[in-house]
Amino acid sequence: SFPFMNDLHEQLASKGLVVLAVNLDEQRPAADRFLAHTPARFRIAYDPKGVTPEQYTVKAMPTAVLIDRKGQVRHVHAGFREADKKDLRAQVEALLKEAP
């Protein structure tokens, strides 16, 4: 999903999109190796204790949590497939059009 998230970030950041990935690797070098191979052009947070997935009831990796401008979780997508791109982008664009 990283290439797709990179594209979304580049194309929609000027409209207010913030892409934030949460890395759960307990050892930072494992995360660094992944990012060296698959660079992210968006923010990465590190959560080696796994608090974030508990807070959002994440059941699969990757999971995309779409949060609106008011801070409300609006959509949750478990997993990622090429076929998901169109729907995910449409949901993101719809949320960006909403007033804060």
Side-chain angles (χ1 to χ4, degrees), residues 10-25:
E10 288 181 1
Q11 296 164 9
L12 300 174
S14 64
K15 295 181 180 181
L17 176 67
V18 175
V19 176
L20 172 65
V22 179
N23 183 286
L24 302 173
D25 289 318

Side-chain angles (χ1 to χ4, degrees), residues 16-59:
L17 176 67
V18 175
V19 176
L20 172 65
V22 179
N23 183 286
L24 302 173
D25 289 318
E26 292 180 9
Q27 302 296 320
R28 180 72 181 256
D32 293 338
R33 282 191 302 276
F34 173 81
L35 291 170
H37 182 264
T38 311
R41 295 187 295 270
F42 47 84
R43 295 183 214 175
I44 305 288
Y46 294 92
D47 180 8
K49 294 182 181 179
V51 174
T52 307
E54 288 178 20
Q55 291 175 331
Y56 289 93
T57 319
V58 171
K59 295 180 179 159

